[in-house]
Structure formats: C-alpha cells, structure tokens
Amino acid sequence: MVAAWDPYVDDPARSPDMTISDLALMLDAPVYALLGKKPAQHVYHVAVRNHPEDPVLTDAQWAEVAREMMHAAGIAAHGDDQGCRWVAIRHADDHIHIVATKARQDGRQPELRQDIVKMHAAARRFEADFGLRRLTHGDKTARRWPKTGEKEKAERRGLPEPVRETLQHTVREAAAAATSDADFFARLSACGVRVKQRIAPDGKVTGYSVALPGDRDGGQVPVWFPGARLAPDLSLPRVRERWQGPVSVPVVAAAEMWREAERRVRAAADQLGAGGLSEGAGDVAALGDLIVVAAVSSPRLVREQMRQAAYEFERAARAPGDRALEGQARGLYRESSRLISQSAAAAGRSSDAVAALGFLLALVTAIEASRRWHQAQEHRAQAQASGRAGRLLREAVEVTAGASAAREHRPRPKRAAARFGGARRTPAAAGERPMAGVVQQALPVHASAVLADVAWPALRSRLAAVERAGEDPVEVLAAVAARRDLASAQSVAEVLSWRLDGWQRQRGAVAASGKSLTAAAGDSGRSGASRTAGAPAATRRPPGGQQRPGPKRAR
C-alpha cells in the first residue's frame, strides 16, 4: 500500500496489527453509516499504468499520483477531511490500483461527473513532470472499439473480427465512394448489410442503422449499430458531407486512371491545410476517403498493405473541431476518389501494380503532408496515425517496385555444359551459400550498412528463398536495388526485403498463370487434334495396379 486517505492507516502487508479484512471494514464504514438508501455498487476502482518503456517510479511518486487522481475524480479533494476513503496498492513496478468507497464520511454522495476526463488531464501533467511517454488527451475522434462480449461472440462464431469492425469497414467504403443518399444505401445493400433508415414525420431520412445478417442477441433479435456508434464520422450528417458540392471528373481509360489521380494528388499535397484549421480538417477527411477508395481498387499485389494503411489513417482523417467543405485540396482529393471509383468499376477492378506506382508515391507525399499539418496543430494521435499509414504506403511502393523489376528483368543465359552428357551443376542448398557475400557482390556501396541493420535477418531469408526458387540471388538483388534510389531509405535492408517480396509475388503470379495456361491447353487437346495419329492415349491405372472396368456404353 503506497497511499491511503489517512496517512496513519497501517499497511496489511507490513503490519501484523492490520489484516485485509480490517482494512475492508474501515473502507466500508461510511457506507454502513449512511441513513438513507445505500448504493448498490459502492466500490470505486481505477488502475493507473505506465508504458513498459517508461522509467520506474518510486513509491512516493506513485503516492503523489494516487492523491492527485482522487482529487481530480472528486473522491477526496485536497484538504477535505470528510472525503471518501481510499487506498492505493502497488502490484508491480509499472502500475497501481486505487480502490475507494463511494460514500463520503459526512454522509453525502461524491460528485463523480467527468471523473475519467479529469483524471486523463492529471495524467498528462504527470507525463511531463516525470518524463514519461506522452499520450494524447481524449478529443472524441477515436473509433468505437469492440467490447469484450463482442470479441468473445466473434470467436464462438469463428469470425475473423468482431461484427462492429466489419460494419465499420463496410460502411466507410460505401460512404467514401457514394455520390448521394440513394447511392450510399444501395452500396450498403449490395455488400450484404442489413440497413434500417430512421425517417422523420416529414418523410426525411434523419439517420440509419446497420446489422450483419445472422448477428443476433440472446432473444434472436438482430443487433443494430447506428452509424454514429461505429465512428464519429459515420453518422448520416457527416456521411452526407462527402457529396455536398459538385464534383466533375472526366471519364478516362483504366490505363490513364492512376496518372490522372497522381497529378491531382500531387497538386493537393501542396495545398493541404493552407486555408486554415477548418479547411485542413476537411482536407485530411477527404484524403482518408481517397485512401479507402484506392485500397478497394488497388492491385492485388499491394491490396493488403493498402487496406491496412486505410485502417491506420482512419484516426488521422478525423481532426478535432469543425471541418469546412470548401478548399482546393479537398476538391482535388474528392475528384481523385471519384475518378478511381468510376474507372475501376468500368475496368472490373483489374489494375496494374506497375501503373499504380506513381500514384502510390504521390499518396505517400500526401500522407506526409497530413502528418506535418497534424504536428503543427498538436494533434499527436492523428500525427502518429499518419506516420503508421505512411510506413505501410512506403512498403506498398517498394513491393510494387520489386514487382516492376521482376516483370522487366531478363535473366542472363545459363552457361552450357562442357561436354555432351556431362553432369549438370546442382544449385546450392538453402543456407549453404553465404548471403553476406551476395550482398557484398551485388551492393558494394551499401553492404556494410545492410549487414549491420536489424532487418538483415529478414533480408537474408528473402535471398535464401530466391535461391531456392532457382534464381541467382546476386542478379536479383542487383536488379531490385537499381529500381529506385536507396540513398533516402532509413533502413536499406528493410526496403530491399520489401522489394524482394514484390519480386517473389510477381514471379509467383507469372508461374501460376503459366500453369493455368498449360492446363487449359491440355484440356483443349482432348479432342484429338494434337494427338499423333494412331498413338494410343496414356491410361491411368489405380493404385492397385489393375485397371478398373469402365461404365458400359449405352446403345
């Protein structure tokens, strides 16, 4: 026990004259002394925890934290000897638990309004005083996280994620690409989501709720989620802001879609936040919708990274305060979203990863501009979300660069055998060839930095996989390294690992398509046109070695 409402209360862990039962009776004494109705749940409990990387606080520091938290919550104000009784218990180096009784010693009830918000504000002061990890104050822009019961329900049903998160993704994708109320609700229905509109007496739609088919409560009633309960920017008024104002974009071919979008995104990155705080909030919101639309229409090679980037940037797209619907950057982002959505729908969402490389680079620039704007406004949570999304976008860029190198690479011809019938050289087994020598031979300038990088083991595994596939790792590594400049990379080994990942994905896709073409040619040859005349067809025998009689031919 590091602190209590009375400094002279003995600690049960250190004093033989005090037991835990005695301490519990002392804490509950004001509840038993109440003359009126006693509260049904009179125990107040809060845990205060530091990050594992924070410095370890002393017992005196934790006692100061506990007293300040009880003062901020309204349990026991400083100098109030009639406040609630409480104790603070330290269970480990990084946290304490505070337990209080929700009954003052003068018989009144404590005022606990906004207790969590006030304790958060006190925690921010201690982070600065004690040199702890700086967290962000609650700005009411975070998404609604699934509850424990929702997670357990998803596990019982074998779902990959709770229903709340699935509905969040579905509604956000529909809202980002919609152009009207009817289009928005039609997209939700097309995704297989149940939609219930809230209609006012005058016939206007004032809200909506969504449910996943098959998701029911204990009474077999569908579980409905209002849009505002999924995320703050998914309420119907906020969703309608996305298509307020005309957005006209030209209809272009699928091959030119990414170039047109790239041009607009690069122009918008220079204008993000230039019109003030409200316009900057609208700009980042439109950028978030653009990333969502691009993730849905992105090439399969980088679709997973794009979806993760859209998920991470979701918090960065919601800036505290109001957001303006005007602004040059917002208009350019909306035009890019509409352009990608229309062109991808016309092309059947078949996009080329190499053609999208320039757009991905422009998107990285736009996310970096949003991160700098959030930092200037001291939006720490949003700036961190932008940084995580930018890292995933950079990974998608390098994977695309590796795939582009694999597509354009032409391997050098193998040296023929010295004499007819000579033994063919077998490739070295995985791990037998020293990959450090491969790096030194392919990248003599960056070899020392790569071998000392923490990402070197991952790169070594990629190189071993390339060798197992029958390709020369020196030649492949030199090819992906020459694709884009490495001077600006923070981790050259990590960048090369991403590019080799794209190389292997492209090679695997080509090999899979080749197998499918071969299988199709074999199926088409069953008519006998390609079979040599008079040659008997090969007959498969069952594992027993004897041929089974076929079905009798009907007359």
Side-chain angles (χ1 to χ4, degrees):
M1 189 171 68
V2 296
W5 80 97
D6 189 342
Y8 298 103
V9 176
D10 292 333
D11 183 1
R14 296 188 177 98
S15 175
D17 299 330
M18 175 69 72
T19 63
I20 296 179
S21 300
D22 296 336
L23 181 61
L25 289 174
M26 295 176 64
L27 288 170
D28 291 341
V31 178
Y32 299 136
L34 290 177
L35 298 178
K37 184 179 180 180
K38 297 177 175 54
Q41 296 179 346
H42 65 277
V43 178
Y44 185 89
H45 171 225
V46 61
V48 187
R49 182 183 300 273
N50 283 342
H51 193 269
E53 298 178 359
D54 285 339
V56 178
L57 303 183
T58 63
D59 287 350
Q61 289 174 320
W62 277 120
E64 181 182 356
V65 170
R67 286 190 290 268
E68 190 63 31
M69 291 298 171
M70 293 294 95
H71 169 76
I75 293 292
H78 295 321
D80 185 5
D81 56 353
Q82 296 298 317
C84 301
R85 297 184 177 185
W86 59 272
V87 293
I89 309 298
R90 183 173 186 176
H91 290 163
D93 290 338
D94 62 344
H95 73 279
I96 60 173
H97 286 262
I98 307 176
V99 179
T101 303
K102 290 192 295 186
R104 291 173 51 86
Q105 299 183 74
D106 55 6
R108 295 186 292 114
Q109 297 290 331
E111 178 58 44
L112 302 178
R113 184 178 179 83
Q114 297 291 321
D115 54 339
I116 300 297
V117 177
K118 296 175 183 177
M119 285 191 288
H120 281 174
R124 301 295 85 81
R125 294 194 297 268
F126 281 115
E127 290 167 0
D129 295 341
F130 294 160
L132 307 176
R133 184 188 183 193
R134 302 294 298 275
L135 300 181
T136 57
H137 187 69
D139 54 7
K140 298 182 180 180
T141 60
R143 69 170 68 93
R144 295 296 184 96
W145 297 101
K147 301 178 181 178
T148 304
E150 297 175 5
K151 296 179 180 179
E152 295 175 351
K153 184 178 181 181
E155 293 178 359
R156 291 195 304 267
R157 296 181 59 189
L159 301 178
E161 61 182 2
V163 173
R164 182 188 295 269
E165 293 190 356
T166 302
L167 292 175
Q168 282 180 3
H169 305 329
T170 306
V171 174
R172 187 170 302 280
E173 291 177 1
T179 59
S180 62
D181 285 20
D183 187 21
F184 172 61
F185 292 121
R187 289 177 181 271
L188 288 178
S189 300
C191 293
V193 175
R194 302 182 63 182
V195 184
K196 181 172 61 176
Q197 301 180 14
R198 186 171 64 250
I199 302 177
D202 57 356
K204 295 182 179 180
V205 180
T206 59
Y208 73 98
S209 299
V210 289
L212 204 63
D215 184 31
R216 299 177 179 272
D217 58 10
Q220 296 302 310
V221 178
V223 181
W224 295 95
F225 292 87
R229 294 297 181 92
L230 297 177
D233 59 337
L234 293 182
S235 63
L236 188 58
R238 283 298 183 97
V239 168
R240 283 172 171 166
E241 290 179 0
R242 290 167 164 85
W243 52 77
Q244 289 186 6
V247 178
S248 59
V249 294
V251 179
V252 298
E256 299 293 329
M257 172 187 68
W258 297 115
R259 296 188 182 90
E260 287 292 329
E262 175 188 354
R263 184 177 60 83
R264 286 173 169 80
V265 171
R266 289 192 183 277
D270 299 332
Q271 301 294 329
L272 192 147
L277 182 59
S278 298
E279 286 193 7
D283 295 342
V284 296
L287 177 58
D289 289 340
L290 173 60
I291 300 175
V292 171
V293 172
V296 175
S297 306
S298 60
R300 292 185 180 274
L301 193 68
V302 293
R303 187 168 298 175
E304 184 61 29
Q305 284 90 349
M306 292 291 294
R307 288 185 181 275
Q308 290 294 328
Y311 178 80
E312 292 293 346
F313 194 79
E314 178 189 335
R315 181 70 183 275
R318 291 190 295 267
D322 298 331
R323 58 184 182 184
L325 304 181
E326 298 80 13
Q328 185 176 0
R330 177 184 174 89
L332 291 172
Y333 288 143
R334 291 296 300 161
E335 292 177 5
S336 302
S337 300
R338 191 74 56 83
L339 177 65
I340 293 175
S341 180
Q342 292 177 356
S343 301
R349 292 182 179 177
S350 58
S351 300
D352 185 9
V354 179
L357 179 58
F359 171 77
L360 294 179
L361 288 170
L363 209 56
V364 170
T365 304
I367 290 179
E368 180 62 24
S370 71
R371 187 185 67 84
R372 292 194 301 266
W373 182 80
H374 281 303
Q375 286 181 338
Q377 308 301 325
E378 296 185 355
H379 301 159
R380 287 197 295 269
Q382 287 79 1
Q384 293 172 3
S386 298
R388 294 191 298 268
R391 173 181 170 82
L392 289 166
L393 259 296
R394 286 191 293 271
E395 179 181 352
V397 167
E398 301 301 342
V399 169
T400 306
S404 177
R407 173 179 296 184
E408 300 178 2
H409 178 68
R410 296 295 179 268
R412 291 178 295 183
K414 302 292 184 180
R415 183 175 299 177
R419 60 183 182 275
F420 181 78
R424 180 179 297 180
R425 180 186 175 189
T426 58
E432 183 176 333
R433 185 175 184 179
M435 293 302 165
V438 171
V439 175
Q440 292 172 353
Q441 184 177 354
L443 304 173
V445 178
H446 302 282
S448 58
V450 169
L451 296 177
D453 200 322
V454 294
W456 162 240
L459 177 60
R460 182 174 54 197
S461 300
R462 295 286 187 190
L463 290 172
V466 169
E467 188 179 29
R468 286 194 300 268
E471 298 182 278
D472 186 3
V474 177
E475 188 176 349
V476 172
L477 185 60
V480 298
R483 193 64 188 176
R484 294 185 67 244
D485 185 26
L486 294 171
S488 60
Q490 296 180 354
S491 174
V492 177
E494 189 174 38
V495 169
L496 292 175
S497 298
W498 291 338
R499 294 185 189 179
L500 289 178
D501 186 17
W503 176 287
Q504 291 175 315
R505 293 186 192 181
Q506 179 65 28
R507 292 297 196 190
V510 171
S513 62
K515 289 181 180 179
S516 62
L517 290 176
T518 303
D523 292 340
S524 63
R526 291 180 181 176
S527 60
S530 61
R531 186 183 302 168
T532 305
T539 304
R540 278 193 174 182
R541 296 185 180 273
Q546 297 179 354
Q547 187 174 2
R548 296 175 183 174
K552 294 182 179 180
R553 184 177 301 176
R555 292 185 180 274

